[in-house]
Amino acid sequence: MGSIAPEQAKPTFKTPWIQTPLVESAALSRAAGCRIFLKLENVQPSGSFKSRAMGNQILSHLVKPENANRPVHFFASSGGNAGLAAVCAARSLGYPCTVVVPLSTKPLMVQKLRTAGAADVIQYGETFSEAGEYMQNVIMKQKSDNESENVAKVALHPFDNEPIWLGNSTIVDELVSQLPAPSGEDEKAVHHGRPLPVDAIICSVGGGGLLNGLVMGIERERQNLKMAGRYTSSPSSKPINLLAVETQGTDSLAAAVAKNSLVSLSKITSQATSLGAIRVSERTFQYAVSPPKGIAVHSTVLSDADAARGVLRLVDDERLLVELACGVCVEAAVGDAGKQQQASSGVDAQASPNRKRKRAQGSRRDEGYGDDRASATENETEPEENSERARRNVDRADGAADAIPAPAEIPSAPLQSKLKQLVPDLNRDSRVVIVVCGGSNVTIDGAVEWRKMLQEGWGN
């Protein structure tokens, strides 16, 4: 199954990811005070940018000479977006992929892995570290009854290796042709010396695979322009700003930057567990503290409530539903506009403070990319909240448009977004790309819950 034909000296495989659209958002541009472009990685086959990362990692193993003319079986220890992407990519290429996840992995994600075509989904251990060790030390050493003696068993990492970063760097390759060319002398002057006509790119950071890919892609495009004799720079050339966004409780990059040394978080306490790497890659840390010439990296941290505002902003303005780990990038660009929207809803933020605290601690968590983190088994929903959610489900079936109300008009007051704080010289003509990284472990019920929590004062 999936073996390479002997006559193929250089085997070729189809690309297990797609080129995604780049769209300019009028609503987000107005709220952010600059031109906002959305790179829609949420439409990848697996629902996230991980299709590029895991897809390219799989391809890197398939082209190795030692795997020629052999059946290959892939193994992933991620029950989140990385695991789902591994299954989708492997299956599209005709290879099996087994996934090992901790016991705390939500049934929603286990079912999605099975539906996507996983060869097997095995639950073991309390953390992803334990699941990964069990996968390599036990599962990969077992032999099934119908398994070939010649099978190559390959373990996949969720974020920390070169093929993953190169896969993510293809985002930049697409931006080269998708971003509109500068028009007019002023725009050409602003973007002089930049390999891309963009002022800033905003991405979320878990282990750092996406950030690494973006930096590598920008550097590759700079080299391509140099080789073609079309690259010119001057001391006045402005860098491309990369905003590396985390949530409080997943902020391993921010902690490393603050200490100027790689550090590990003791545990993950944020609900945005897709960002839940307790330690970023060495390459990510180096890019953050000493980026290549022409690139400025800004590490910033927002709250879970901010991330939820970003999710709802995409729901309201773009009809897109993504995980908290993705929504946090939108809030980094929009800032106070999200809070103004909440304040204008007319809901008493002080109502039911005890209930508010209980909901904030007990809300569902969006499982992540399969990075090491402590399990979150304490967040269980009260029975009466289950009943309340069931009633809302019936109401939504009668009118889904009413489940997530439309936002109120946003006042045109000066904003204090993280983007404007870190890149203060932006104006209404400045170009900012948000990587809408997506994520599959999110539901309408989750968005409804976050809306209600924010209306009750979450994050104020």
Side-chain angles (χ1 to χ4, degrees):
M1 180 175 178
S3 62
I4 301 171
E7 64 272 13
Q8 288 182 304
K10 292 184 178 180
T12 58
F13 302 90
K14 71 174 185 178
T15 303
W17 65 86
I18 65 170
Q19 176 171 315
T20 57
L22 180 75
V23 298
E24 185 169 8
S25 169
L28 292 178
S29 297
R30 176 176 176 271
C34 57
R35 296 180 69 182
I36 296 292
F37 295 85
L38 302 177
K39 184 60 172 162
L40 299 180
E41 290 299 292
N42 57 303
V43 302
Q44 288 288 356
S46 69
S48 81
F49 78 98
K50 287 288 184 174
S51 284
R52 298 179 191 266
M54 304 308 287
N56 199 58
Q57 184 179 191
I58 286 173
L59 290 178
S60 73
H61 288 288
L62 293 177
V63 298
K64 291 179 178 179
E66 61 265 33
N67 291 329
N69 304 313
R70 297 177 64 187
V72 182
H73 192 130
F74 294 98
F75 293 81
S77 60
S78 163
N81 296 311
L84 188 59
V87 171
C88 291
R91 183 172 174 80
S92 73
L93 293 166
Y95 295 86
C97 181
T98 293
V99 185
V100 183
V101 301
L103 296 170
S104 59
T105 301
K106 303 302 183 187
L108 173 66
M109 286 309 299
V110 172
Q111 185 56 48
K112 284 194 174 185
L113 289 166
R114 295 190 188 280
T115 301
D120 197 4
V121 181
I122 300 164
Q123 291 188 268
Y124 179 88
E126 297 301 320
T127 68
F128 278 95
S129 292
E130 292 180 12
E133 291 173 5
Y134 182 71
M135 180 189 80
Q136 297 208 40
N137 297 331
V138 178
I139 299 301
M140 292 181 66
K141 293 180 179 180
Q142 294 176 347
K143 184 180 182 301
S144 62
D145 294 337
N146 59 349
E147 183 176 275
S148 168
E149 293 285 350
N150 194 36
V151 65
K153 296 184 178 181
V154 178
L156 301 172
H157 196 281
F159 65 85
D160 193 5
N161 67 33
E162 195 92 8
I164 281 178
W165 309 334
L166 288 173
N168 291 332
S169 75
T170 59
I171 292 175
V172 176
D173 298 337
E174 295 171 17
L175 290 176
V176 169
S177 60
Q178 291 176 327
L179 282 165
S183 60
E185 294 304 316
D186 289 344
E187 266 206 338
K188 290 179 180 178
V190 167
H191 296 295
H192 176 74
R194 288 172 172 166
L196 286 175
V198 65
D199 297 271
I201 302 176
I202 305 178
C203 72
S204 55
V205 174
L210 178 55
L211 178 67
N212 293 354
L214 293 173
V215 174
M216 291 171 68
I218 293 171
E219 280 294 280
R220 184 172 60 244
E221 178 59 18
R222 190 187 309 277
Q223 292 302 318
N224 290 341
L225 292 175
K226 285 183 177 179
M227 292 177 63
R230 295 188 289 115
Y231 177 76
T232 58
S233 183
S234 70
S236 62
S237 296
K238 294 184 179 181
I240 294 176
N241 297 278
L242 295 184
L243 268 66
V245 191
E246 301 170 289
T247 53
Q248 294 166 4
T250 66
D251 47 344
S252 52
L253 176 60
V257 170
K259 292 182 178 290
N260 197 31
S261 175
L262 270 176
V263 297
S264 296
L265 303 179
S266 59
K267 61 179 180 178
I268 299 303
T269 58
S270 168
Q271 293 185 50
T273 51
S274 290
L275 304 180
I278 59 174
R279 183 185 180 98
V280 296
S281 73
E282 172 70 29
R283 180 75 64 89
T284 306
F285 172 67
Q286 292 300 329
Y287 279 153
V289 298
S290 184
K293 182 180 179 181
I295 297 175
V297 177
H298 310 273
S299 172
T300 190
V301 181
L302 284 78
S303 68
D304 282 358
D306 288 329
R309 290 187 186 95
V311 169
L312 295 173
R313 169 67 71 172
L314 284 181
V315 169
D316 294 332
D317 293 342
E318 304 298 332
R319 302 167 302 285
L320 301 174
L321 183 59
V322 298
E323 293 181 2
L324 290 175
C326 182
V328 71
C329 294
V330 176
E331 185 62 15
V334 173
D336 285 349
K339 295 181 181 179
Q340 290 169 355
Q341 171 185 332
Q342 178 189 340
S344 65
S345 65
V347 178
D348 182 4
Q350 302 302 318
S352 305
N354 292 332
R355 184 179 174 198
K356 172 190 70 178
R357 188 179 302 112
K358 180 178 176 182
R359 286 180 147 325
Q361 293 175 349
S363 60
R364 61 174 52 80
R365 306 168 74 88
D366 61 332
E367 295 298 334
Y369 298 146
D371 308 332
D372 293 340
R373 59 182 186 267
S375 299
T377 57
E378 70 277 10
N379 289 329
E380 299 298 333
T381 307
E382 293 289 329
E384 52 268 29
E385 293 186 33
N386 278 332
S387 299
E388 182 180 353
R389 183 175 294 112
R391 287 193 295 272
R392 288 200 302 272
N393 289 344
V394 174
D395 293 339
R396 189 181 68 253
D398 291 337
D402 296 331
I404 306 176
E409 185 70 15
I410 300 170
S412 56
L415 303 179
Q416 293 299 315
S417 68
K418 290 289 186 180
L419 174 63
K420 286 294 186 68
Q421 292 172 17
L422 296 171
V423 192
D425 59 345
L426 296 178
N427 57 51
R428 66 180 183 179
D429 295 319
S430 299
R431 299 152 172 236
V432 176
V433 171
I434 298 177
V435 180
V436 182
C437 54
S440 295
N441 196 11
V442 61
T443 63
I444 293 176
D445 280 352
V448 171
E449 186 79 0
W450 295 329
R451 174 88 75 190
K452 187 172 183 63
M453 289 167 61
L454 288 169
Q455 289 173 340
E456 292 176 350
W458 182 30
N460 286 347

